[in-house]
Amino acid sequence: MSRTGELAATARPRPQLAWRPVLLIAAAAVAVHLTVATRYGWHRDEFYYVVTGRHPAWGYVDQPPLTPLLARWAAELPGGVLPLRLLAIACQAGCVVLAAQLAAEFGGRARAQAIAAGATAASVAFVAASLLFGTTVTDQLIWAAMFVAVARALRLRTTPAWAVAGVLGGIGLENKDTVVVLLLGVAIGLLLWHRDALRTPGPWLAGALAVVPAVPNVVWDARHGWPNLAMARVLGDRTGGPLGALAQLPLLPLLAGPPLIVLCVLGVRRLSREHRWALAIAVTAVVVFTIGGGKPYYPAPALIALFAAGAVHAEATGRTGRRLPAAIVLSGLIAILIGYPVLPARAQNALRPLNPTVMETAGWPELVDQVRTAATGLPPGTPILTSNYGEAGALTLLGRPSGPVVSGQNSYADWGPPAGTPDTVLCVGEFKLPYLHRFWSDVREIAPITTPDHIRDQETDGHAAIYECRRPHGTWAQLWPALRHYD
C-alpha cells in the first residue's frame, strides 16, 4: 500500500463496538477461569510480589514497583490468593475487550470484533499468563491498551488522544521494563510510515508522559549499580543468549494457539498493507527480544494486533464462516488444558513439559508443614534461610515462623540478613552440601522436601531438602555477600 493508502486507512471512521458479543466472550473467559482460579494454590511469583510490595521502593532488582504494590494491596483483602487471581482475571478480560476495540480501530465490524476477542480469550499465551497475578498478565494488558491508544491517536490526530497513549506507556514502564521495546516499536512505526504525526506535538507529548514517571525507577536502578541489567544478563544466559532465543522462536506460534496460526498469518498479511506501524511493533519485539536472549513469551502480547488485523481481513474476505469459530473453540480447549489446573494434580503433572507453571501452584502448604516439623526442637526464633523467593514467600505468608525468614535471591538479598551470627540456621531449598559447607562447618540434612501425589516442581527438580546448619564461618554480615544470587 502507498503512503497515501496508509493514511487513508487510519483516517476512516471507526465502527461501533459490538459490546454484546464481546462482553459475552469476556464473561465466558472469566467464568471458566473462576471455576479453577484457586484449585491448587499460590504460585511462587505471587508470594514474591506480595512480600516485595511490603518493602516499598522505586524499584527492585527484577522489576519496577507497580505489580508488587498491587499484589500487596490485594493480599491484604480476605480470601488468601483469590484477590490476586481476580486481578489476573480482570487483566485477561481487559485484553479480550481491547482486542475487539483494536479490531474496530482497524475497521472491523461486529463479526471481526467477536473473532478478535474470541482469539485472545482462546490463545495459549493469554490464558496461561492469566493463571496467576504478576508482571506478565499486567504487561499484556498494557500492550493491548497501547495498541488501541496508538491506533486511536493516529485516527483522531489530536493531542489528547496521544496523551492517553503516553500515560499508558508511563504506567507500563512502572510495571515491566519490556515496555521499552513496545515504545521503541511505536517510534519505529511512526518514523517509517507516519512522519506527518511526528510534525505535531502529540507524539512528543506522549513520549514525555511515558518517560517522566519512569525517572524515579531509573534513578533507583542507577544508584544500586544497575541490577536490572545484571538480572537481564542472567536471564539471557539461562535462555542461551541470542542463539537460544532464536532456537525457541518457533514456540511463539504455538503460544498463539496452533489452531489460530492461520489467523495470525492473515493478520500479518493485513498489517503489511494497512496499519504497518502495528506490524513494526511486532517485528521489533521479536527481533529485540531474540537479540537480548529473551524468553519466547516476551513478544507474545503483540499477538493481539495479529488477531485483530486477521479478524478484519477474514471479515473483509468472507472467511468468517464456521472454520474460524471452530479454530477458536479448539484453541480455547487446548489453552485451558495446558494453562489452567483443570485436572487432578497427578494427571496435570503429565502436562508439565508443556507448561510447568501450573504445577508451581501446588504443594506449598505441605512444604510449610515439613519445615515446621523440622524446626521442632530447634531454639525458638531460629532463622530460616531459603534458596529461593518461593520458599521464603511461602514460609512468610503461610507459615508465620517465630524466627526471621531470609533468602539471598534477587530482591530478598537487598532486604538483608538478621543481625548477629548464624549459630543455628534452618536452611531450606535447593542447596547442595558443598555449598552450605562454605558457610557452616556442621551441616546435617534433616529430610528431603516431598510433594503430594508425587507431583514434580522446581523443588523436586532441584532435590530440595531441609538442613540444620551450625558453627558458622562468620557473622551474617560477613557471609551475606556470598549468599546473594540473581536467578
Side-chain angles (χ1 to χ4, degrees):
M1 173 178 284
S2 66
R3 178 177 171 78
T4 302
E6 176 81 4
L7 293 176
T10 59
R12 65 175 58 137
R14 193 200 79 168
Q16 292 292 320
L17 191 65
W19 284 109
R20 185 172 182 178
V22 170
L23 290 181
L24 283 174
I25 292 169
V30 168
V32 171
H33 196 167
L34 279 174
T35 60
V36 294
T38 59
R39 185 173 186 184
Y40 288 178
W42 291 74
H43 187 273
R44 65 175 66 246
D45 287 356
E46 289 170 317
F47 289 132
Y48 184 47
Y49 294 131
V50 172
V51 177
T52 301
R54 292 179 178 178
H55 296 79
W58 283 113
Y60 306 95
V61 302
D62 39 14
Q63 65 217 340
L66 180 58
T67 290
L69 286 176
L70 293 175
R72 172 192 174 179
W73 294 334
E76 292 175 353
L77 299 173
V81 74
L82 179 59
L84 279 83
R85 298 291 166 80
L86 291 177
L87 285 178
I89 292 171
C91 289
Q92 179 192 23
C95 288
V96 171
V97 174
L98 288 168
Q101 288 186 312
L102 185 59
E105 290 291 346
F106 287 167
R109 298 182 298 278
R111 188 79 172 175
Q113 295 171 30
I115 291 172
T120 304
S123 170
V124 174
F126 289 91
V127 170
S130 68
L131 169 68
L132 61 118
F133 179 69
T135 54
T136 300
V137 71
T138 48
D139 189 51
Q140 289 180 343
L141 182 64
I142 289 294
W143 281 62
M146 276 291 291
F147 271 114
V148 173
V150 173
R152 180 174 179 271
L154 288 171
R155 175 173 58 85
L156 297 179
R157 305 176 182 277
T158 64
T159 299
W162 280 110
V164 172
V167 170
L168 289 170
I171 294 172
L173 288 174
E174 288 298 297
N175 176 67
K176 198 170 184 182
D177 293 332
T178 52
V179 171
V180 171
V181 178
L182 168 62
L183 298 179
L184 175 63
V186 173
I188 292 173
L190 295 182
L191 185 62
L192 292 178
W193 291 293
H194 290 281
R195 293 181 187 176
D196 60 305
L198 295 176
R199 300 188 188 100
T200 68
W204 302 102
L205 173 63
L209 290 173
V211 170
V212 170
V215 170
N217 177 245
V218 174
V219 171
W220 180 94
D221 205 28
R223 287 181 175 177
H224 289 77
W226 303 103
N228 284 177
L229 295 180
M231 189 74 201
R233 284 194 295 270
V234 169
L235 295 177
D237 291 343
R238 178 182 292 182
T239 304
L243 291 178
L246 185 63
Q248 296 183 47
L249 201 56
L251 292 176
L252 185 57
L254 298 180
L255 287 173
L260 299 178
I261 292 176
V262 172
L263 185 63
C264 292
V265 173
L266 295 178
V268 171
R269 184 181 301 175
R270 187 77 175 189
L271 291 179
S272 66
R273 297 198 299 268
E274 297 182 6
H275 311 286
R276 286 177 285 186
W277 61 269
L279 186 59
I281 296 175
V283 172
T284 300
V286 171
V287 171
V288 173
F289 289 134
T290 300
I291 293 174
K295 298 179 181 179
Y297 65 82
Y298 284 1
L303 288 169
I304 201 164
L306 304 188
F307 291 153
V312 174
H313 186 84
E315 182 183 60
T317 56
R319 300 185 183 184
T320 57
R322 296 180 179 180
R323 290 185 178 180
L324 271 180
I328 290 172
V329 171
L330 178 59
S331 180
L333 293 175
I334 295 172
I336 290 169
L337 187 63
I338 294 175
Y340 289 161
V342 296
L343 302 175
R346 182 173 293 184
Q348 193 79 42
N349 195 54
L351 297 175
R352 186 168 177 258
L354 296 175
N355 179 21
T357 303
V358 176
M359 300 317 299
E360 296 298 328
T361 65
W364 294 111
E366 289 79 5
L367 180 145
V368 170
D369 289 341
Q370 291 171 66
V371 174
R372 186 182 292 115
T373 300
T376 303
L378 295 180
T382 296
I384 300 175
L385 173 69
T386 72
S387 66
N388 62 57
Y389 58 67
E391 300 148 354
L395 292 168
T396 299
L397 298 180
L398 304 181
R400 292 177 287 276
S402 61
V405 177
V406 297
S407 177
Q409 187 185 23
N410 297 2
S411 287
Y412 260 94
D414 289 340
W415 305 327
T421 302
D423 295 314
T424 300
V425 177
L426 199 64
C427 291
V428 177
E430 303 166 56
F431 294 117
K432 300 295 184 290
L433 283 172
Y435 176 83
L436 293 176
H437 274 299
R438 291 171 51 191
F439 308 100
W440 290 273
S441 294
D442 184 3
V443 178
R444 179 178 66 89
E445 181 177 336
I446 297 175
I449 292 175
T450 58
T451 54
D453 295 322
H454 302 287
I455 62 174
R456 303 289 300 177
D457 60 9
Q458 180 178 319
E459 312 306 312
T460 57
D461 286 349
H463 306 288
I466 305 170
Y467 303 87
E468 179 185 353
C469 300
R470 299 178 183 270
R471 297 171 57 199
H473 298 163
T475 65
W476 273 115
Q478 293 170 330
L479 301 180
W480 199 247
L483 287 167
R484 298 175 64 108
H485 57 97
Y486 290 165
D487 50 42

